[in-house]
């Protein structure tokens, strides 16, 4: 932007000279050109100002800042080294300082391999330390052991960052150009109830969307519903038999799950019904209005049930099911054919993707499309129409090979370049019962999600009554506490586990107010709010104090808490890169326990025994 401003300013000067000399073939044209350039110049200057003021208010990623400093030091010490290793991490123990640079060991290996020079890591560490440029954040460095560089931060630097944080609020580091992120999550099937398997995709997907929104990205949240396909043939045929006047009178399908089971039983046992079901699919796919109406009725019943769960868990989604991509599938097949990627196998049209043994089937022998076709159509639409810079599929690990094949096919045909566009499968493991087996009901059925949420509400209320909260809270406050605890604990229990692993679902562990649980974090948060309430200090008073006074971090627990708070941007950066949200939960738990240590050692507020003030 700065370069463009220089160029535009020079161009405006040149046009001014043109006008003065009167050499212009069309003065009007020059004026127009001049106006456009001035408009562009104003726009750029304004957006650069906004970017700078945003950056000034943003939290600093201390780890990134230290990497810049050590990157410059290594460059000065070893100018001939290409891409030297740059390793900066927070110290595990306070006696070793606040951060550590562990690059010396890696550089030793490189010098030995490329230049056959044998230099000890300690010697390299000393050379790096001597070349550290002047900076605002390092108090001192010490070399320890075989070549670790221990970094001690300046107290006034940390103090300044905390005051800035208090005055400007929690502003994540600026992301540069506002990129578009598309997240595909939840994705239940129409006519089937949401079960415990949908819980993880829904919770993880929602949290990823909030993360990218918080960091300043433009996020599109998509619910890829299973709302198209052969199962609708049997559902529509059954609807016609059970509610023949469905076109004029809205059918009272109360229990869609039972309705689905009845139609499936008939499909498996009645030959005549099966034939009719296939005919219904053909009529639906040819967009016959009566059959479209039947399909919409069935989708609406499901939609209402899904929405109850989304309301409970505070989930926001845009529905864009398989049916949305139906009209694009013909073109997808043609595109693969035109590029010469299609082979015919027993009447089916298949596509082999380099590196994957199982081909994608993009057209069945009867001319119908498959999940492969709809997934390819969705991928293309998200990349080419939605212009996604980052595309994330929050889908269980079982779909890994299928999704990687689809992504590779999109790359092969030229829809995206992985160096420019990030397409990622955020996979997750299954939910297990306390017996470490797949989470089922006593009768062996899949656990309905709505039953699970209701059980959570019941357990949360029992816990609140155990703590006698019902005696001090109004009915309305108690209800709010119940939903916060129940749904907060269910979400946090999922998010605090590494999503790649299976996790054991246990209400007892979730609702325990000790350890890394939502209950403990809610307790710590309430305690923090209570201090402000007791001291009768609001945010405005704190901001005023932060702007006028220097925050002195004398006590070791104050220093520890201050540094812990400022690690937030590092955590944010890490989870935006690897999409592993449990890192954030671990950080929040560390922050809460560090706060508790501070609270136990440093009085924040005391009451006067006489006056009660």
């Amino acid at each position: 932007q700065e370069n463009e401003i220089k160029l535009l300013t020079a161009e405006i000067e040149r046009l001014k000279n043109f006008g003065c000399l009167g050499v212009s073939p069309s003065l009007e044209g020059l004026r127009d050109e001049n106006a456009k350039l001035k408009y562009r110049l104003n726009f750029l200057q304004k957006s650069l100002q906004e970017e700078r003021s945003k950056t000034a208010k943003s939290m600093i990623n201390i780890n990134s800042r230290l990497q810049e400093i050590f990157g410059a030091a290594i460059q000065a010490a070893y100018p001939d080294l290409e891409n030297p290793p740059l390793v900066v991490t927070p110290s595990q123990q306070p006696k070793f300082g606040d951060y550590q640079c562990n690059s010396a060991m890696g550089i030793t290996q490189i010098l030995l391999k490329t230049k056959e020079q044998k230099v000890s890591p300690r010697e390299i560490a000393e050379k790096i330390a001597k070349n550290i440029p002047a900076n605002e954040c390092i108090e001192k460095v010490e070399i320890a052991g075989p070549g670790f560089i221990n970094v001690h931060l300046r107290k006034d630097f940390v103090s300044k960052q905390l005051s800035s944080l208090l005055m400007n609020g929690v502003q994540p580091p600026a992301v540069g150009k506002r990129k578009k992120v598309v997240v595909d999550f939840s994705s239940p099937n129409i006519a089937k109830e949401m079960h415990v398997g949908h819980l993880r995709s829904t919770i993880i997907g929602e949290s990823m969307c909030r993360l990218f929104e918080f960091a300043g990205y433009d996020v599109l949240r998509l619910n890829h519903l299973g709302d198209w396909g052969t199962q609708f043939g049997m559902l529509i045929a059954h609807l016609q038999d059970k509610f023949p006047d469905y076109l004029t009178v809205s059918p009272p399908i109360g229990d869609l799950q039972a309705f689905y089971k009845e139609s499936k039983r008939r499909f498996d046992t009645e030959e005549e019904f099966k034939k009719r079901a296939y005919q219904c699919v053909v009529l639906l796919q040819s967009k016959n209005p009566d059959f479209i109406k039947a399909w919409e009725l069935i989708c609406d019943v499901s939609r209402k049930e899904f929405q109850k769960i989304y309301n409970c868990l505070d989930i926001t989604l845009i529905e864009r099911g398989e049916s949305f991509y139906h009209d694009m599938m013909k073109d997808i097949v043609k595109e693969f054919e035109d590029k010469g990627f299609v082979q015919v196998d027993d009447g089916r049209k298949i596509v082999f993707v380099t590196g994957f043994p199982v081909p994608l089937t993009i057209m069945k022998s009867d001319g119908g499309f498959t999940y492969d076709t709809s997934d390819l159509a969705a991928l293309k639409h998200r990349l080419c129409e939605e212009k996604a810079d980052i595309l994330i599929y929050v889908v269980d690990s079982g779909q890994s090979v299928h999704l990687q094949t689809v992504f590779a096919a999109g790359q092969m045909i030229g829809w995206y370049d992985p160096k420019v566009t990030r397409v990622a499968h955020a996979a997750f493991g299954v939910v297990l019962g306390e017996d470490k087996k797949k989470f089922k009901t006593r009768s062996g059925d899949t656990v309905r999600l709505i039953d699970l949420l209701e059980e959570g509400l019941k357990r949360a209320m029992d816990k609140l009554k155990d703590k006698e909260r019902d005696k001090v809270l109004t009915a309305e406050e108690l209800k709010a506490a119940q939903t916060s605890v129940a749904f907060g604990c269910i979400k946090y229990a999922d998010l605090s586990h590494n999503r790649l692993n299976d996790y054991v679902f246990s209400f007892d562990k979730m609702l325990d107010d000790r350890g890394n649980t939502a209950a403990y974090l809610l307790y710590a948060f309430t305690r923090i709010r209570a201090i402000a309430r007791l001291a009768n200090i609001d945010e405005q008073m704190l901001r005023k104090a932060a702007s006028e006074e220097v925050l002195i971090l004398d006590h070791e627990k104050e220093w520890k808490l201050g540094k812990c708070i400022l690690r937030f941007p590092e955590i944010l950066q890490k989870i935006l890169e690897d999409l592993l949200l449990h890192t954030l939960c671990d950080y929040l738990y560390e922050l809460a326990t560090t706060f508790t240590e501070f609270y136990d050692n440093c009085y924040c507020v005391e009451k006067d025994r006489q006056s009660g003030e």
Side-chain angles (χ1 to χ4, degrees):
Q1 280 184 342
E2 282 173 335
N3 283 340
E4 198 176 343
I5 286 170
K6 279 179 197 162
L7 290 168
L8 285 173
T9 312
E11 185 65 6
I12 288 168
E13 282 306 310
R14 194 177 71 78
L15 286 174
K16 267 189 202 162
N17 293 340
F18 248 122
C20 297
L21 295 168
V23 222
S24 160
S26 152
L27 203 58
E28 213 45 55
L30 272 181
R31 281 196 190 117
D32 281 357
E33 193 58 28
N34 203 0
K36 274 186 206 161
L37 287 170
K38 278 190 169 161
Y39 174 79
R40 175 78 182 143
L41 183 62
N42 283 339
F43 170 77
L44 278 170
Q45 284 173 330
K46 199 171 164 209
S47 77
L48 196 62
Q49 266 173 337
E50 280 172 11
E51 198 59 51
R52 280 183 179 147
S53 92
K54 196 174 162 194
T55 307
K57 288 180 178 177
S58 298
M59 289 181 77
I60 286 179
N61 182 333
I62 296 174
N63 200 319
S64 295
R65 180 72 191 103
L66 290 172
Q67 285 188 27
E68 283 168 20
I69 293 165
F70 278 100
I74 293 167
Q75 176 65 36
Y78 296 96
D80 302 340
L81 276 192
E82 269 187 48
N83 299 326
L86 192 55
V87 189
V88 178
T89 55
S91 272
Q92 296 307 307
Q93 292 180 43
K95 65 177 179 187
F96 297 134
D98 307 312
Y99 284 82
Q100 250 181 7
C101 173
N102 303 334
S103 299
M105 281 66 95
I107 292 172
T108 303
Q109 298 299 319
I110 292 170
L111 289 175
L112 193 62
K113 271 185 196 160
T114 59
K115 308 203 172 187
E116 295 183 352
Q117 292 178 5
K118 210 171 179 186
V119 192
S120 78
R122 199 173 171 96
E123 206 178 309
I124 291 168
E126 279 163 2
K127 198 169 176 186
I128 294 170
K130 280 190 188 114
N131 282 280
I132 290 172
N135 63 81
E136 76 290 10
C137 52
I138 298 176
E139 175 72 41
K140 62 173 183 178
V141 296
E142 293 165 340
I143 292 154
F148 301 113
I149 304 174
N150 293 336
V151 179
H152 296 260
L153 294 177
R154 285 172 57 161
K155 288 250 166 92
D156 60 345
F157 168 73
V158 170
S159 168
K160 193 176 158 196
Q161 296 310 315
L162 290 167
S163 295
S164 162
L165 175 59
L166 198 51
M167 288 187 284
N168 299 314
V170 182
Q171 304 279 352
V175 291
K177 174 182 163 278
R178 193 158 187 249
K179 290 185 173 179
K180 182 162 190 181
V181 183
V182 175
V183 186
D184 170 330
F185 69 104
S186 194
S187 312
N189 290 314
I190 293 288
K192 291 184 180 176
E193 281 184 298
M194 284 178 82
H195 55 79
V196 73
H198 294 111
L199 183 68
R200 297 206 77 183
S201 175
T202 306
I203 290 172
I204 296 166
E206 171 69 27
S207 297
M208 281 184 189
C209 292
R210 292 185 189 190
L211 165 69
F212 279 98
E213 283 162 352
F214 177 74
Y217 292 80
D218 174 18
V219 179
L220 177 64
R221 305 142 159 267
L222 293 184
N223 197 0
H224 190 75
L225 287 182
D227 66 351
W228 200 252
T230 48
Q231 78 272 25
F232 280 95
M234 65 182 196
L235 289 164
I236 293 169
H238 190 49
L239 182 76
Q240 288 171 332
D241 292 348
K242 208 164 178 189
F243 305 106
D245 55 355
Y246 74 90
L247 289 169
T248 50
V249 180
S250 187
I253 308 174
D255 187 347
L256 196 55
Q257 189 79 353
F259 187 85
Y260 180 88
K261 282 180 178 168
E262 283 167 24
S263 63
K264 180 83 175 87
R265 185 184 51 74
R266 291 184 68 192
F267 184 83
D268 292 340
T269 57
E270 299 173 26
E271 203 50 46
E272 199 51 45
F273 180 80
K274 193 175 194 168
K275 277 182 196 159
R276 258 182 59 225
Y278 281 129
Q279 285 164 351
C280 288
V281 174
V282 175
L283 288 162
L284 173 65
Q285 294 192 338
S286 62
K287 304 280 175 78
N288 177 304
D290 290 359
F291 287 79
I292 289 287
K293 174 83 193 277
W295 170 73
E296 283 172 348
L297 283 168
I298 292 164
C299 288
D300 276 346
V301 177
S302 269
R303 219 171 261 130
K304 283 177 187 141
E305 291 305 309
F306 297 158
Q307 199 52 50
K308 286 179 193 169
I309 284 167
Y310 295 147
N311 289 345
C312 281
L313 295 172
D314 195 14
I315 308 291
T316 312
L317 277 158
I318 289 171
E319 184 186 311
R320 202 175 278 178
E322 288 164 22
S323 61
F324 177 85
Y325 304 101
H326 187 257
D327 294 343
M328 305 170 199
M329 295 193 208
K330 198 162 69 251
D331 294 338
I332 294 291
V333 175
K334 186 176 182 312
E335 189 176 343
F336 275 90
E337 283 178 326
D338 291 349
K339 296 263 173 84
F341 291 127
V342 173
Q343 296 178 25
V344 179
D345 174 61
D346 209 11
R348 299 177 308 144
K349 290 184 178 177
I350 61 171
V351 173
F352 274 99
V353 183
T354 314
F356 295 90
V358 180
L360 295 169
T361 300
I362 57 171
M363 190 180 266
K364 295 188 286 192
S365 53
D366 63 2
F369 301 119
T370 67
Y371 285 128
D372 293 352
T373 335
S374 68
D375 283 343
L376 285 166
L379 179 69
K380 184 177 185 188
H381 188 268
R382 291 159 184 182
L383 291 166
C384 305
E385 301 297 319
E386 290 296 350
K387 304 272 191 286
D389 297 295
I390 300 170
L391 181 49
I392 300 166
Y393 287 71
V394 187
V395 182
D396 71 88
S397 305
Q399 298 293 316
S400 187
V401 175
H402 165 69
L403 284 174
Q404 295 307 332
T405 314
V406 169
F407 299 164
Q411 211 177 309
M412 179 173 83
I413 204 163
W415 293 340
Y416 77 102
D417 173 358
K419 290 191 188 81
V420 179
T421 308
R422 178 183 181 188
V423 179
H425 172 207
F428 55 84
V430 295
V431 182
L432 304 174
E434 295 198 56
D435 57 0
K436 305 278 194 322
K437 290 180 182 157
K438 233 175 173 181
F439 198 28
K440 301 266 188 197
T441 62
R442 283 204 177 124
S443 58
D445 292 330
T446 307
V447 178
R448 292 166 69 217
L449 197 40
I450 199 80
D451 293 343
L452 191 81
L453 297 180
E454 279 166 8
E455 174 71 10
L457 284 170
K458 184 187 158 299
R459 301 262 195 139
M461 185 56 88
D462 293 346
K463 187 91 178 168
L464 287 161
K465 285 181 173 169
D466 277 354
K467 303 255 180 199
E468 299 189 334
R469 305 312 293 156
D470 52 328
K471 291 177 181 164
V472 288
L473 298 175
T474 65
E476 210 172 291
E477 287 168 339
L478 189 65
K479 179 97 182 72
Q482 178 192 23
T483 54
S484 291
V485 171
F487 303 143
C489 287
I490 289 171
K491 284 185 190 184
Y492 190 82
D494 193 323
L495 296 168
S496 60
H497 288 85
N498 185 330
R499 64 172 162 77
L500 297 168
N501 303 333
D502 298 342
Y503 101 95
V504 175
F505 190 98
S506 158
F507 274 122
D508 291 340
K509 278 188 188 149
M510 276 176 202
L511 293 163
D512 194 344
D513 49 21
R514 293 157 307 183
N516 189 4
T517 64
Y520 173 72
L521 287 190
L522 286 166
Y523 168 70
F525 178 64
T526 310
R527 181 185 242 187
I528 294 165
R529 302 300 283 178
I531 293 169
R533 198 167 53 244
L534 267 176
N536 204 14
I537 286 175
D538 61 20
E539 282 188 34
Q540 230 162 349
M541 291 159 80
L542 285 172
R543 285 202 176 119
K544 188 171 181 295
S547 66
E548 292 169 357
E549 294 173 40
V550 176
L551 190 64
I552 297 164
L553 304 164
D554 275 348
H555 197 286
E556 59 160 328
K557 298 299 180 188
E558 283 180 311
W559 178 238
K560 187 179 176 183
L561 178 59
K563 288 184 302 176
C564 187
I565 289 170
L566 295 182
R567 274 199 16 245
F568 179 58
E570 297 168 26
I571 303 297
L572 205 56
Q573 184 61 41
K574 185 181 184 304
I575 58 179
L576 285 166
E577 285 167 9
D578 64 21
L579 307 176
L580 294 169
L581 297 165
H582 69 278
T583 310
L584 179 61
C585 299
D586 292 345
Y587 167 73
L588 291 173
Y589 179 58
E590 185 189 338
L591 188 60
T593 52
T594 306
F595 176 81
T596 303
E597 279 180 36
F598 158 75
Y599 177 85
D600 291 342
N601 285 275
C602 306
Y603 284 122
C604 302
V605 61
E606 284 186 88
K607 270 190 182 179
D608 183 298
R609 289 196 177 152
Q610 257 65 49
S611 66
E613 283 288 307

